[in-house]
Amino acid sequence: MGITGLARWTNAPTNGLKLIDENIRQNHNGQIRSKWQLSARSYRSTLAAISGTGSTLERSMCLLTMSDNVFVLLEDPYAPTRADLAYHASQSGTAIVEPTHYRNTFLTLSPPSALEQLLSLLRARWISTRQSAGGAAQYKQTAAQLTVEGNVYAIGADWIVRAGNVILAGGAMKGMLLEAEYLPVPTMSSQESSGSSELLSSLLLSVLPNVPDARTEAVTISDDQWEDVLWDRDADEQKKVMQETVGRGEEGDDLFVSPEGDAPSHSKGDWAGVDRDRRSAYLIIGALRSDGLI
């Protein structure tokens, strides 16, 4: 697996997938490898309504099912971001107590039905964003609010292209998603501050058919933002302990000996294995939320 880039074709025609298929086959000598299918749904917490605080801010939860995993983005508007906390710490000059969680929490769960079974068992106070809240509202599994249905193409030995229609539950089509994956490179630091890659953007533009007034937009995330998404409390604390141990000069392994397995095949955040799917899922959720589709 390699680095990927995502784009949204917001005004794609109903035959957009067919046009892309023809372009990839005729101009790139590409071949269909498999179907590309995703499903997404979103929920919101009813705790604010139950408590009677009158607050319009609600915790939200977006689920994206991809293959054998479900990727969950939880957003708590009452919690600070890590950037907010770092800013306040720099302004006050004193140590800030870390909260129990930050504004965004990104989880990967398997099998896809595990989370929904747990929420049903706990009678959790989460309802679909399309459902009105009531006093006794509680979690109820709902059908996907939208699906992405399309194809996965191989272009030579280096490129994978995914293209799919965004289809609402009622059948209405809301544009397309396109994703390009460059297999030879498992990790790459973004040259642009936005996190975009000229290499990936060029391929995505080349697979788009020549359609007048096509509106496309790149969906990106900077390396710093992605590092913030991947933040792990336990791993962060372990890193601090290691730094303190080195700072005290405590005896340990011979510095000139490299233990077996000291250099892993890939590190957290690389575009390999489930980490590639995590980054892809996060961008897709962001694109669908920004368009108000979930």
Side-chain angles (χ1 to χ4, degrees), residues 41-45 58-63 71-75 107 115-116 119 124 126-127 129 139 145 285 289 294:
R41 55 176 58 87
S42 60
Y43 300 94
R44 56 190 176 89
S45 172
E58 296 175 324
R59 297 174 177 87
S60 64
M61 176 170 59
C62 296
L63 282 65
F71 299 92
V72 184
L73 178 62
L74 290 159
E75 182 177 7
L107 307 172
L115 176 62
E116 297 184 328
L119 292 175
W126 291 88
I127 62 172
T129 52
Y139 176 81
Q145 291 172 356
I285 291 174
R289 290 185 69 190
I294 57 173

Side-chain angles (χ1 to χ4, degrees), residues 275-290:
D275 284 334
R276 191 215 70 84
D277 290 342
R278 278 171 58 82
R279 191 158 184 162
S280 176
Y282 186 83
L283 291 175
I284 291 172
I285 291 174
L288 297 177
R289 290 185 69 190
S290 65

Side-chain angles (χ1 to χ4, degrees), residues 105-118:
T105 304
F106 194 48
L107 307 172
T108 305
L109 302 173
S110 183
S113 60
L115 176 62
E116 297 184 328
Q117 290 174 355
L118 177 62

Side-chain angles (χ1 to χ4, degrees), residues 3 17 24 54 81 121 135 162 171 192 206 214 225 246 261 270 279 284:
I3 59 170
L17 184 59
I24 290 178
T81 64
L121 198 64
R162 300 173 182 88
E192 303 292 337
S206 71
Q225 288 176 310
V246 173
D270 283 358
R279 191 158 184 162
I284 291 172

